[in-house]
Amino acid sequence: MDIKNNIANIVSISRIFVAYIAIACLYINTSWAYFLAFLLTIIAFSMDGLDGYLARKLNQSSEWGSVLDILGDRIVEVSYWTVFAVMGWINIIFPLICVARAFTTDGIRSVALSKGFTAFGEKTMQSSKIGKFICASRFMRISYAVAKVMAFLLLIAVNTPGLELWNGTPILHTIAMTFAWIAIIFCVVRAIPVVAESGKLFSNEQN
């Protein structure tokens, strides 16, 4: 692989491993391991924005890069929700919704990709203004990312071993769960236009 011309893609893939290291730290029941998980989670989500910036800056935007970006998002998001549920921090409904949404939207987007459309950008499969805003606008994408990272960071923080300040403050747990619900609602809402506008992709196959 030509590293110089695939820097953005390398960042997209690398953040998956950063997230996995963070998740592994959660199984080490010490405050320093959780602090490291907290820090690595910030880095992983920062890399999510960095890959897009580098793709535009270095003129490395491509359909493959778009696929890798979404792939990285799905793996990281589902991994965190699943581990949090396994640890008993959240209800199992969170990862179940996330996985169901991922299979649904990405299945539809795979058909769109075969027809020359992408999830975001100039070739986005969304044709309506509301669909483009909900799925592809910078505002919605950033809002969703912020909700997720805040939920993940606060859930790690309130469950850090030995930090009675966090564990003894119910309001922080409430705030963490509020962000978690906001994130999962975003997850569902952003899938609606993808499903609603998918009919045209399949009707075209019959013409």
Side-chain angles (χ1 to χ4, degrees):
M1 181 178 68
D2 184 354
I3 295 178
K4 183 179 180 180
N5 294 319
N6 285 277
I7 294 176
N9 292 341
I10 291 172
V11 172
S12 295
I13 296 172
S14 297
R15 67 189 174 95
I16 297 173
F17 295 98
V18 173
Y20 274 8
I21 295 172
I23 289 171
C25 289
L26 298 178
Y27 285 88
I28 303 174
N29 197 35
T30 62
S31 57
W32 68 264
Y34 273 57
F35 175 77
L36 182 57
F38 187 95
L39 181 61
L40 289 173
T41 299
I42 294 176
I43 293 174
F45 275 86
S46 298
M47 292 171 74
D48 183 19
L50 179 62
D51 60 1
Y53 171 79
L54 290 173
R56 294 186 297 271
K57 188 74 172 178
L58 302 176
N59 195 28
Q60 296 181 359
S61 298
S62 65
E63 290 184 356
W64 174 234
S66 177
V67 171
L68 283 180
D69 183 46
I70 293 175
L71 178 67
D73 287 343
R74 296 292 181 268
I75 293 175
V76 170
E77 184 177 11
V78 171
S79 296
Y80 273 100
W81 286 132
T82 301
V83 169
F84 291 162
V86 169
M87 290 185 158
W89 298 354
I90 58 174
N91 193 287
I92 190 64
I93 194 66
F94 285 87
L96 290 180
I97 290 175
C98 186
V99 169
R101 185 260 194 183
F103 275 112
T104 302
T105 57
D106 293 349
I108 293 171
R109 283 170 173 166
S110 67
V111 175
L113 187 63
S114 71
K115 296 179 180 294
F117 296 104
T118 56
F120 314 115
E122 296 180 356
K123 297 181 179 179
T124 177
M125 64 167 285
Q126 308 305 144
S127 55
S128 68
K129 290 184 177 179
I130 186 65
K132 289 179 180 179
F133 174 75
I134 293 175
C135 295
S137 71
R138 188 173 181 81
F139 172 79
M140 289 295 287
R141 294 176 68 186
I142 291 177
S143 297
Y144 182 30
V146 169
K148 281 190 294 185
V149 72
M150 289 300 297
F152 295 169
L153 291 176
L154 286 172
L155 283 168
I156 293 172
V158 298
N159 289 283
T160 299
L163 292 187
E164 289 77 11
L165 174 63
W166 293 102
N167 295 327
T169 311
I171 187 62
L172 292 176
H173 183 268
T174 300
I175 294 173
M177 290 308 302
T178 298
F179 273 109
W181 278 109
I182 291 173
I184 213 67
I185 290 172
F186 259 116
C187 179
V188 173
V189 169
R190 295 186 72 241
I192 294 175
V194 177
V195 176
E197 297 186 35
S198 64
K200 60 187 179 184
L201 299 173
F202 300 97
S203 62
N204 287 342
E205 292 182 350
Q206 300 173 358
N207 296 331

